[in-house]
Amino acid sequence: MYNIIIYLYQLGVAVASLFNGKVRKMWRGERDAIRVLREQVDVNARYVWFHAASLGEFEQGRPLMEQLRQEHPEYKILLTFFSPSGYEVRKNYEGADIICYLPLDTITNARRFLRTVRPVMAFFIKYEFWYNYLHILRHRGIPVYSVSSIFRPDQIFFRWYGRQYAHVLKCFTRFYVQNDLSRQLLGSIGITDVTVVGDTRFDRVLQIKAAAKQLPVVEQFIVGCEGTGVRGCEGHLVPPSPRTPAPSKIFVAGSSWQPDEDIFIPYFNEHRDWKLIIAPHVISEDHLGQIVSKLAGRKVERYTQATEESVKDADVLIVDCFGLLSSIYHYADVTYVGGGFGVGIHNTLEAAVWDVPVIFGPNNQRFQEAQGLKACGGGLEISCAADFQQVMQRFTSEPQSIKDAGRAAGAFVKQMTGATQKIMQDVKL
């Protein structure tokens, strides 16, 4: 049944590729993967294979790849993606020797792929459970590890109709899961090779913090005409001169969608003692135009068009490019992470690591890090504009509450680190 579904899916992707550019990239990339491997694989090398569905899973696997590279340079790294949103962004990642799409999980593709690469071990990040690849890896005696995986009772593996498919989980050598509930759920279906280590994303955000960029345009936006310099933080490069206190507090909204913007923008149109930085998830002229139209009477600058001089007079900065958000969070007094009024919140840890409070929408139940931030007081859930206004009024009237929530957020991130080291110490290389 599984293989029938895969072939039907393959047919559907082929048809969809005629009409959708993103699907077309994936379709071509999957079909081209075996050729890429045959051209690039060194037959005398030993490859460790990492597979990530998309960009988020890549970030979870990245600390493992980089530690493996540092401690065991005798191995080469193969990195595969399922989604274009991962491959297109990281196809030039220097931490892997070969990067390509993963051919669709048919028996023929899996055999060709593994015959070409002959990996000595494989790491599947979080949710990847490809039936044919995993069974052939097991048949060949190749160790396979699931890392940063997390399981919930409503997943197919734990339903009566999914017990047959759940056998695929027995192909893994060991699971390195995020929490004890995952260990218990796997134990309920007879899988005991499980270690609770946490989430490697916590390790990754500490790496991101240490490598944060200094952004002169953002610094001048914050300071305005009142002075120069920027607040310092451990692990972040700063100018030699100290920051002169800014006249306004800074609110950074990251990965925002239109429902998020409909909540926080009206508040800041009325409360102009805050400066606002918006880094929307979708950067298109239509969306950027919508944002500007909602900012009634405020002086707006777009990052790509701003200069250090022009941005001084602005009180709203729109970040209309990618790759800066994790560094921009450093400049915030309060942050907001979008997606919670849609399919789910984006990366809250990139903000929390900077010791700032994080506000997000209600669709966060599937995100363990959000639950942890709420529990410690560093994360604040809102369900409507009235909730947001209440939170911001408290922050404004009680400035100490910003510091307390920020310290709680940062402490939570720090105490949850260490998963990468635990995995690498346990895996036999």
Side-chain angles (χ1 to χ4, degrees):
M1 177 62 72
Y2 175 86
N3 287 314
I4 292 174
I5 294 173
I6 286 293
Y7 282 113
L8 290 174
Y9 174 81
Q10 186 176 37
L11 178 61
V13 170
V15 174
S17 69
L18 300 174
F19 308 98
N20 185 290
K22 182 177 179 180
V23 176
R24 191 178 308 117
K25 288 181 180 179
M26 182 177 70
W27 173 245
R28 290 175 177 172
E30 289 178 356
R31 289 168 63 87
D32 204 36
I34 297 298
R35 180 193 61 79
V36 170
L37 291 171
R38 286 173 176 165
E39 291 177 355
Q40 297 187 23
V41 164
D42 180 351
V43 295
N44 297 314
R46 291 183 295 170
Y47 284 90
V48 177
W49 172 27
F50 287 85
H51 176 64
S54 191
L55 190 58
E57 290 78 13
F58 163 80
E59 291 296 336
Q60 288 175 293
R62 183 169 178 168
L64 291 166
M65 285 184 275
E66 294 181 355
Q67 187 161 336
L68 174 69
R69 175 78 85 190
Q70 180 179 355
E71 296 181 358
H72 297 277
E74 68 271 22
Y75 292 99
K76 290 195 173 185
I77 294 175
L78 165 66
L79 171 62
T80 60
F81 288 98
F82 178 76
S83 167
S85 60
Y87 175 80
E88 294 298 330
V89 175
R90 293 302 182 191
K91 60 186 177 183
N92 296 316
Y93 171 58
E94 295 181 354
D97 297 281
I98 303 175
I99 303 173
C100 65
Y101 283 91
L102 181 68
L104 195 62
D105 187 30
T106 66
I107 294 175
T108 300
N109 282 345
R111 285 175 175 165
R112 285 177 180 169
F113 180 93
L114 294 171
R115 190 182 302 125
T116 304
V117 179
R118 300 185 182 275
V120 297
M121 69 178 59
F123 291 86
F124 281 45
I125 314 299
K126 198 172 182 179
Y127 288 136
E128 292 298 273
F129 308 110
W130 294 110
Y131 187 93
N132 291 313
Y133 282 102
L134 288 168
H135 276 85
I136 296 173
L137 284 164
R138 183 185 184 187
H139 177 73
R140 296 187 178 189
I142 299 170
V144 189
Y145 304 101
S146 177
V147 298
S148 290
S149 44
I150 187 167
F151 293 91
R152 302 182 305 276
D154 61 350
Q155 286 175 300
I156 188 173
F157 310 114
F158 313 110
R159 300 297 184 94
W160 64 267
Y161 53 81
R163 289 303 173 91
Q164 187 65 33
Y165 178 61
H167 287 300
V168 72
L169 300 180
K170 295 182 179 179
C171 295
F172 286 93
T173 306
R174 179 162 289 275
F175 287 86
Y176 295 100
V177 298
Q178 293 188 32
N179 57 23
D180 196 60
L181 175 60
S182 297
R183 182 189 62 80
Q184 294 174 21
L185 288 169
L186 290 170
S188 72
I189 56 174
I191 297 174
T192 57
D193 291 322
V194 182
T195 304
V196 180
V197 298
D199 190 346
T200 52
R201 279 183 301 174
F202 290 92
D203 302 323
R204 177 60 187 147
V205 294
L206 283 182
Q207 292 178 340
I208 292 171
K209 178 181 178 182
K213 302 171 184 175
Q214 188 174 333
L215 304 172
V217 167
V218 178
E219 292 170 6
Q220 291 303 318
F221 168 76
I222 290 171
V223 175
C225 297
E226 301 297 320
T228 58
V230 61
R231 74 189 83 181
C233 186
E234 182 180 353
H236 184 68
L237 295 175
V238 293
S241 58
R243 174 190 175 186
T244 299
S248 304
K249 288 199 174 293
I250 307 302
F251 182 91
V252 175
S255 301
S256 63
W257 295 77
Q258 180 246 311
D260 304 301
E261 293 145 9
D262 287 344
I263 284 179
F264 65 75
I265 287 178
Y267 177 86
F268 292 109
N269 283 340
E270 296 181 6
H271 299 81
R272 303 198 175 199
D273 50 332
W274 287 78
K275 284 194 170 186
L276 179 58
I277 301 177
I278 306 174
H281 185 75
V282 175
I283 297 176
S284 66
E285 288 302 318
D286 285 345
H287 189 199
L288 296 174
Q290 290 172 11
I291 294 173
V292 172
S293 69
K294 295 172 186 175
L295 291 162
R298 303 209 68 170
K299 177 67 167 59
V300 180
E301 281 278 355
R302 286 172 55 163
Y303 185 88
T304 59
Q305 299 172 1
T307 66
E308 292 182 42
E309 191 61 34
S310 69
V311 81
K312 289 180 179 180
D313 295 327
D315 53 10
V316 179
L317 180 63
I318 298 177
V319 183
D320 55 346
C321 57
F322 294 110
L324 301 180
L325 179 58
S326 59
S327 297
I328 287 174
Y329 282 132
H330 162 54
Y331 300 101
D333 292 292
V334 176
T335 64
Y336 180 100
V337 173
F341 290 91
V343 296
I345 56 172
H346 294 287
N347 193 337
T348 55
L349 299 180
E350 286 188 347
V353 74
W354 289 108
D355 301 322
V356 292
V358 188
I359 304 171
F360 43 78
N363 191 356
N364 60 69
Q365 303 305 312
R366 294 182 294 107
F367 300 86
Q368 181 173 269
E369 68 279 8
Q371 303 310 303
L373 284 169
K374 286 197 296 182
C376 75
L380 301 100
E381 177 186 314
I382 62 164
S383 298
C384 59
D387 289 349
F388 181 78
Q389 183 172 357
Q390 184 176 14
V391 169
M392 292 304 301
Q393 285 177 342
R394 178 166 67 88
F395 281 156
T396 300
S397 62
E398 304 172 22
Q400 184 62 37
S401 65
I402 296 179
K403 296 179 181 179
D404 292 342
R407 278 196 292 264
F412 169 72
V413 174
K414 293 179 181 68
Q415 74 184 24
M416 296 297 287
T417 58
T420 301
Q421 191 64 32
K422 292 174 184 176
I423 294 169
M424 295 304 295
Q425 287 175 347
D426 195 59
V427 169
K428 308 301 180 186
L429 289 163

